[in-house]
Amino acid sequence: MYRRILHYLVCAATLPLGLSGADFMKPYDGPVVSGVDTSSLTGKVMVGYQGWFNCEGDGADLGWTHWSRDRNKTFGPGNVTVDLWPDVSEYEPEELYETGFKFENGSSAKVFSSHNQKTVLRHFAWMREYGIDGAFVQRFANGLKDASKKSHKNAVLSHARNGANLHGRAYAVMYDLSGLPKGGTQVVKKDWLKLREEMQITKDPGYLHHGGKPVVSVWGIGFLDGGKPRAYTLEECHALVQFLKENGCTVMLGVPTGWRTLDRDCTPDPLMHDIIRMADVVSPWTPGRYRDVEGVRKHGATYWTPDQAWCSRNDLDYLPVVFPGFSWHNLKGAQLNAIPRLKGQFLWSQFIQAKRVGAEMVYVAMFDEVDEGTAIFKCTNEPPTGNGGTFLTYEGLPSDYYLKLTGAGGELLRNEIPLTEEIPNVID
């Protein structure tokens, strides 16, 4: 343990903090540590890394983004959108920002900013420590049109690149198309070319490849919102996937649960299947699609098994999405703990189902999303409730429990531990 911590500190010291926007786009020339095989997605458990949290005073000039409803007002009672509170006991003082929330003893509660390089490096160090293979770094396309938001996204991607190379993890870009207007996918094409040409992102040892090509993911194709198609069209999504393929990429698509049958949350347009056949990896979205262990079993039989067969017939890889639980009480005013974690049993049952349907890769949503209560990173059992805060906990489990459980999911996927319905003993 001491050698790992020492190595982390030495490597982190070689990377300057407080870089400018232009520096974030430079090619990586820092140290590289061997770790996971970044040449293939097969056998990997990847997590989604939102990296969208900002705090007043973090240098991004975005206020309390994703912590509060009004980012220009103090993150505190009445202005909150998260249901889990991060465990920040290991963070250094310069990583923490004081909020308007109080603990029961009256002390002020603090949170982190994804804009802080030390924090992102810390998160990737946790991935290494707990055997998590890497992360799909979320890059919301709709925010690329705003200079401040784009600067923050560049910073987070740069930090994630540093973290992956320093800690022997894999990372890849995932473009989320949510919120784009008609014709909005053009911004993705321009951005990807910039990342390849200026940042030379796909040349990094840590950048994930599959099938001999760099992986780029496009999330949000074919979804219905309120029963209606999204503003950006399937035709332009088709053109985007074709562009990425011609650019020499392995393309992963984040699609609705009903992608194969063209129903439920998916547009009924058969062009959807043409787009999917152009791609290389299919990853249907599942958060909120089932709510308990029995629902997981039914979903596996109804969707994952025939999905996997369809992909096999069409020479596509299948990447199921699993999640630990769900809650967006503070974000949407919905029921707190809407999909209970069941002390890890809910997440473990999904790993079991993914293994049983023959999945060779798994995507965990999400590493850091405390907004919807899907985070697997370290969260506290003692959130600030001293002035009216209402938050979930990890049901008394250690704050690193879900990191350990996700690592065990990778071991299950690779046949390193036996398949059993009971949660493996992940507590040291």
Side-chain angles (χ1 to χ4, degrees):
M1 176 65 75
Y2 173 78
R3 292 179 63 188
R4 179 165 61 240
I5 294 174
L6 180 61
H7 170 78
Y8 165 73
L9 292 174
V10 170
C11 288
T14 67
L15 298 169
L17 301 177
L19 298 174
S20 69
D23 290 325
F24 292 135
M25 296 302 292
K26 290 181 178 179
Y28 182 74
D29 60 359
V32 176
V33 175
S34 62
V36 302
D37 174 14
T38 60
S39 70
S40 177
L41 186 54
T42 302
K44 302 288 191 302
V45 170
M46 300 287 288
V47 295
Y49 192 79
Q50 297 285 24
W52 58 15
F53 299 101
N54 289 106
C55 301
E56 186 64 40
D58 66 2
D61 196 28
L62 292 171
W64 292 98
T65 299
H66 272 277
W67 293 112
S68 65
R69 196 168 307 283
D70 184 342
R71 66 184 178 92
N72 296 312
K73 295 182 180 179
T74 300
F75 169 42
N79 191 33
V80 54
T81 56
V82 302
D83 276 20
L84 283 167
W85 197 274
D87 175 4
V88 295
S89 60
E90 297 178 26
Y91 295 60
E92 296 179 11
E94 61 266 30
E95 297 177 73
L96 299 177
Y97 303 83
E98 189 170 311
T99 75
F101 282 103
K102 304 287 186 183
F103 290 106
E104 287 292 346
N105 63 7
S107 62
S108 297
K110 298 178 181 180
V111 292
F112 67 86
S113 167
S114 307
H115 200 69
N116 192 308
Q117 181 176 245
K118 277 192 174 182
T119 296
V120 179
L121 293 182
R122 182 180 304 282
H123 292 164
F124 273 81
W126 287 348
M127 292 179 204
R128 181 183 182 96
E129 181 176 357
Y130 294 99
I132 297 170
D133 295 300
F136 287 109
V137 182
Q138 310 298 295
R139 197 164 172 86
F140 285 81
N142 200 39
L144 294 172
K145 297 175 290 184
D146 179 280
S148 294
K149 292 179 181 178
K150 183 176 181 179
S151 178
H152 171 68
K153 296 178 194 304
N154 290 344
V156 172
L157 182 58
S158 176
H159 299 341
R161 173 182 63 177
N162 295 343
N165 282 303
L166 281 171
H167 296 292
R169 301 300 94 185
Y171 79 106
V173 172
M174 177 179 281
Y175 286 104
D176 190 320
L177 306 183
S178 300
L180 283 179
K182 185 176 181 179
T185 57
Q186 290 297 322
V187 72
V188 175
K189 297 179 183 179
K190 295 177 181 178
D191 185 72
W192 178 247
L193 288 177
K194 193 175 184 69
L195 293 184
R196 290 206 74 168
E197 293 170 4
E198 291 188 24
M199 205 172 183
Q200 297 184 19
I201 193 169
T202 61
K203 295 181 180 179
D204 289 343
Y207 198 85
L208 180 66
H209 285 61
H210 188 66
K213 301 175 182 179
V215 175
V216 62
S217 178
V218 180
W219 193 96
I221 293 179
F223 281 84
L224 296 177
D225 290 336
K228 297 180 180 180
R230 293 184 170 184
Y232 54 90
T233 66
L234 282 186
E235 286 76 14
E236 60 184 291
C237 290
H238 185 281
L240 174 59
V241 174
Q242 184 174 24
F243 162 79
L244 292 171
K245 292 289 292 184
E246 291 174 353
N247 191 249
C249 300
T250 288
V251 179
M252 168 187 153
L253 297 183
V255 298
T257 286
W259 67 273
R260 176 178 45 82
T261 49
L262 300 179
D263 58 11
R264 285 191 66 172
D265 52 352
C266 184
T267 176
D269 193 330
L271 180 58
M272 185 70 179
H273 284 172
D274 292 339
I275 296 172
I276 290 172
R277 287 190 180 97
M278 290 174 60
D280 303 280
V281 184
V282 181
S283 184
W285 193 241
T286 54
R289 274 53 175 184
Y290 41 80
R291 307 176 67 86
D292 52 31
V293 171
E294 181 57 30
V296 172
R297 295 192 186 101
K298 290 180 179 178
H299 191 91
T302 305
Y303 293 96
W304 285 358
T305 297
D307 281 1
Q308 181 83 29
W310 194 97
C311 287
S312 295
R313 291 194 303 270
N314 288 275
D315 196 26
L316 294 164
D317 285 313
Y318 189 61
L319 179 64
V321 177
V322 303
F323 65 106
F326 187 90
S327 178
W328 57 10
H329 171 72
N330 288 313
L331 180 65
K332 297 286 188 179
Q335 175 188 350
L336 187 70
N337 201 27
I339 302 179
R341 293 181 173 231
L342 307 177
K343 292 199 169 185
Q345 190 63 58
F346 181 68
L347 177 58
W348 187 247
S349 69
Q350 294 169 78
F351 277 119
I352 290 293
Q353 288 302 312
K355 180 65 176 175
R356 283 181 169 158
V357 304
E360 296 183 319
M361 53 191 73
V362 172
Y363 175 36
V364 179
M366 295 279 188
F367 184 84
D368 56 341
E369 188 162 336
V370 289
D371 316 54
E372 298 181 354
T374 61
I376 63 161
F377 74 162
K378 298 180 184 184
C379 289
T380 183
N381 288 303
E382 298 180 353
T385 56
N387 48 352
T390 303
F391 301 99
L392 289 175
T393 70
Y394 274 179
E395 303 173 290
L397 295 169
S399 67
D400 64 353
Y401 183 87
Y402 286 95
L403 292 170
K404 289 182 176 180
L405 193 58
T406 300
E411 293 176 335
L412 175 68
L413 185 71
R414 296 184 292 270
N415 298 312
E416 295 168 4
I417 60 174
L419 188 152
T420 172
E421 296 287 349
E422 294 183 0
I423 297 175
N425 183 16
V426 299
I427 307 300
D428 293 336

